[in-house]
Amino acid sequence: MYLQQFFIDGIGCLSYLVGCESYGVAAVIDPDRDVQKYLDAAAERGLKITHIIETHLHADHVSGNTDLADRTGADIYVHEAADAEFEVKLLQGGDTLTLGNLDLRIRHTPGHARKASPCW
């Protein structure tokens, strides 16, 4: 398993690259606008980004999810209550996303965003 955390200067948000090095696949969780850093980090580890996961959609965070999806072919995943206005795959609490030999379990934990969304 590979995990790298990215701090987004100015707004105090975090994003993550999590991957299975055995299978060479990875997910980016809550990507910011600067997607090149995720592409570079994944390439350095020999990982292909196959999943983009948004824990919540709100105005405090400008996401690079669609740019990253365009550049990698990865699917974007959001909670079913997120009201995304772009192409996504919907998640519910209790779902599992598989990344090689890693299972990411979705936990529905509504928070400060306008719409309920998953965090795990």
Side-chain angles (χ1 to χ4, degrees), residues 37-112:
K37 64 185 165 200
Y38 309 113
L39 298 168
D40 292 345
E44 287 174 15
R45 301 300 291 201
L47 301 171
K48 175 179 172 46
I49 297 169
T50 56
H51 295 69
I52 301 162
I53 304 165
E54 291 287 358
T55 61
H56 58 293
L57 302 175
H58 63 86
D60 293 345
H61 174 77
V62 178
S63 179
N65 57 26
T66 55
D67 184 24
L68 191 56
D70 288 345
R71 294 175 71 178
T72 63
D75 291 319
I76 302 170
Y77 295 82
V78 300
H79 188 266
E80 63 186 355
D83 279 344
E85 296 182 5
F86 46 90
E87 187 175 338
V88 298
K89 293 196 175 207
L90 299 177
L91 296 170
Q92 298 178 9
D95 287 349
T96 300
L97 290 176
T98 300
L99 287 172
N101 59 18
L102 300 175
D103 287 333
L104 303 177
R105 293 219 169 143
I106 307 307
R107 305 269 188 240
H108 185 227
T109 55
H112 70 278

Side-chain angles (χ1 to χ4, degrees), residues 1-3 19-25 45-47 99 101-102:
M1 178 182 154
Y2 178 73
L3 176 66
C20 173
E21 293 176 296
S22 297
Y23 284 75
V25 294
R45 301 300 291 201
L47 301 171
L99 287 172
N101 59 18
L102 300 175

Side-chain angles (χ1 to χ4, degrees), residues 1-19:
M1 178 182 154
Y2 178 73
L3 176 66
Q4 184 173 352
Q5 183 181 69
F6 299 85
F7 181 76
I8 304 168
D9 290 326
I11 59 174
C13 291
L14 297 170
S15 60
Y16 304 87
L17 175 68
V18 60

